[in-house]
Amino acid sequence: MMPRAILPLIFCVLVSARLSAQCLVTISTGFDQEEGLALEEGVPDEDYIVTDPFGVDAVPLTLITDGFPIGPWLANSEESLWIVPNADPDANGPPGQYVYTIEIDLDAPEPELATIVGRWATDNSGTDVIINGNPSGVRAGGFGAWTDFPADAGAGLFVDGFNTIEFIVDNAPPGDNPTGLRVEACIGSPLPQERPLNISTGFNRAANATFGDGEEDLHYTVNGPGTGGEVAATAVPAGNLPDFPPWRPNTIDSRWIGLADPNSVGPAGEYTYKTEVTIPDEIDASLVVFDAGVASDDEIVDVLVNENSIGMTAFGTENLTPFAVGAGRGLFRSGVNAIEFVVNNVGDSPTGLRVDGQLVEGPPPVEQSPNLFSIDTGFDDENGELIGNGLQDDHWVMIGPPGSGLFEFAGIVRDDQWPVAPAGPWVAPTSRARWIGTREISSNGPPGDYTFRILVELPDAVDATEARLVGRWTSDNAGREIRINGISAGAAPDGNFPVLAPMPPDLGLGLFENGVNTVEIIVNNAGDNLNPVGLFVEAAVGTGTIDPSDVSTGISGRGIGPLPAGIDDERYTVLEPDALEARPAVVVGSPDASWAPNSETSQWVGLDGEASDGIAGRYVYALDIVLPAGVNPMRASLAGEWAAASRGIDIALNGESLDVSVGGPGGLVPLPDRFGLGKFLPGLNVFEFTVEADSPTALRVEASLTSVTGPNPLDISTGFAEIAGETLGGGEEDDGYIVSDPFGIGEPAIVLADGEVPGTWAGNTNTSRWIGIVGALAASPGDYSYRTTVALDSEEQANAAFIRGVVAADDILVDVLINEQSTGFQTVSGFVAYTEFPPDFGKGLFLPGDNDIDFVVQNGGEAGNPSGLRVDAVIETGVAPPQREVCDNGIDDDNDGDTDCDDADCAGNVACPTGTPFRRGDTTQDGVLNITDAVKIFGILFLGDPDIPCAEAKDVNNDGDVNITDGIRILGFLFLGQPPPQAPGHENCGLDPDEPGSAGDLGCESDPACE
């Protein structure tokens, strides 16, 4: 048996082999440092102390692998285990900051060179590692993947003897939820970097180690005043490095060189430090560039490659100035190359040079192809879909800070790990854009300015003098500026990476031209070490504004305005007779003379940009639209006009016919009043316009979504007069609500004027407004209870009653009580966006007569700050809005109650749809979507839990595969306001939209909740 005494050494050797370092002390969690073995699960890790958000110290426990949260957390191993702050089986703890502290005894000959070597993981994010009271700036995030410690993590912060290391872990709100720390690392002395074409000063390339104090640098010579010609440069003794100005400390990779004088003092004048590097034939010398940093005393006045200046200057001894991206390209040749650093010395004083880096073969020139209008990051405009994890965005080029050598197509940052939500602080991808950044894990990059570049083309039909950027963006960290065709537009993302901010009005107006334009966004990556850097843009170059409520054909929903002829209308598709797949509808540029002419507010769309000729038959034009923020689904309707060629025979919303038709294309015909009211769903909605055509075929819609209101005694919306059916004015009392403050004092709620509503709150609409107390913008911390009372006439009405609608609150809604019975409901999005009430919310809690509903709003902080409530809802007492009824063989389209899939049911369809009804995401098959459904997916994937007979229910994003992202999709919807499961959704039983037997069809044998 192996002696236990040498087991820690073996662990260090294993880590060392993986991470190019010599380990001195292990600091892994769940690991017995003395015995060199992993601890048992469920026992204290006495090497660590954890301090919770309330300042209470405890010995953390190793996590027991008995299901959640292991999967999605990384599994425990023989090298390390998760440690958690308490004995909760699911590692739950209150939100806030947790500090895990370990003390080590370091015996190192050069402790200032020691670093943390290894990797770590956290739930939620690791915000810093503090060493002996000094922040290191090292961050981590994500529990499903490791984050490697940077190569210089903690360098210069360790001392000989006892050291204290604190790992700071943030547990995000709301409510108690899993939190923990996982470290698999040691304190070690890093080994020199492997640099085949090394140009570092004071570094012995043959021995792969620095020269000693006072030794000659065999690779550098120096020539200047008083040297008597070209002589060997000398490694300046570390103890003799000047204190003022301080020279940057030596490292294992490079050190200062200078004159033979012990203090490197020399006369005033210019000194030339020269080195030679041999570039082998297998490297393309024409692509070789500097990948290094340089410092000097006093200043570098020039750098020459083979006697050709690269035009670089630098000043200062404290920091290494990086070479510009591409510096030296085209100046090197195969074989021996001479590099000269010209350093000016002011006065009789110390002189010296410090170079740390190498020559590298840079990437070949990047050839970009222009996009049409769009500058979305992470979106494939040709295929109309997001680009996958870890791939590259062929439209965006990323140029790194000077000296980084980064000049390549931007990478797609993974959305299943930190820093992208829900694992980290970055905003989650949308349907139109993703984060782009470096190719490193978590998009890490060195500090400095990064340039993100894209080419965008404007056709001649667009008035380029009116073109501007329209959309939203964010970045990590803050943007420096945006340049259009090389000219600064005077704006940039603000670096608030959890939030997408709208671009300023008229951004870039007057800077665009017809043809190809260059757009560059410069983003600064702050800090002193490698850390995440990225850009998120969802925008286009256009001449209009964004109106998410406008669904008119031929008008861009992205601010481009009327689209040129022959351009795809990105919102509408058309399915031709006998075709298997729909394709984008195209703006018809030459409509028939008998058709109503195109206008600035709507245009004809069809098959092409000319006459839109097609075969005779039925064409289905489809529009997918997500209700804009602030539109309550229960109040939404479509208002406007339409026309069709040859004639429109129906409009369906979410598969249900709305029984409307229109004649020929000669003029636009108004849609019925309150069109589609009660038929909209939260999130994605699908309109289908069926057009009967000979030849040609086309559709014209000039309409927008609107919110319908009216008198309703069961309307419980805030700031709304339910009898008059209209919103109240700012400063008026909302006599439907009484609010009790934290001290128990009740008073009528006050409607907040638009000017009083903070910009971060969801904006007032024509269906509801924010209410609060007098002085709501400086409300005391504590719980506020908003009470409204509704009367129900009968027991039958009360039994059927439930709340349908949405709610927002500042800071957060912590409960809703119905007749003093808690529902436990809380808002997910706080005050920035609505949170929808669950289906049948409150059903069974209502009684005949008066019913009290209390909304309990928690206002945090320690001083007065804004507080308020926003409800947009009604009490439903009848049957829920009609939904598509799934029968044995298809859809009961005519609502005749039969299940024979007869001709009336299948009107307009080639064949009746078949399949097994199910709810997507409802993996527990109990008819309700909640966190247990996500846990079920993780259990099936990682713990061998029994599978379910409906694979499609597990495929939450309907991508044809069941993996960890499906569970994360459920959690994002439940807690972060992200999109719901794909069709048929989680609320109603429905059929898989994928054709049976197709690549996306996973099958569903049965769903008991839908039988």
Side-chain angles (χ1 to χ4, degrees), residues 65-143:
T65 305
D66 60 352
F68 184 83
I70 296 291
W73 282 12
L74 292 163
N76 287 332
S77 72
E78 294 182 356
E79 295 184 12
S80 67
L81 291 82
W82 284 94
I83 57 175
V84 294
N86 55 52
D88 185 277
D90 291 336
N92 289 317
Q97 178 177 281
Y98 291 79
V99 180
Y100 293 83
T101 304
I102 184 173
E103 292 186 349
I104 62 167
D105 186 3
L106 183 63
D107 182 10
E110 296 178 290
E112 68 278 2
L113 298 181
T115 63
I116 303 177
V117 181
R119 52 192 185 175
W120 64 320
T122 57
D123 188 341
N124 291 96
S125 58
T127 59
D128 204 351
V129 179
I130 299 176
I131 301 168
N132 295 321
N134 301 298
S136 68
V138 175
R139 298 174 59 185
F143 38 78

Side-chain angles (χ1 to χ4, degrees), residues 510-532:
L511 300 181
F512 288 96
E513 56 190 32
N514 291 108
V516 177
N517 297 261
T518 301
V519 177
E520 295 176 307
I521 301 175
I522 293 84
V523 175
N524 176 257
N525 192 26
D528 299 320
N529 303 298
L530 289 172
N531 68 97

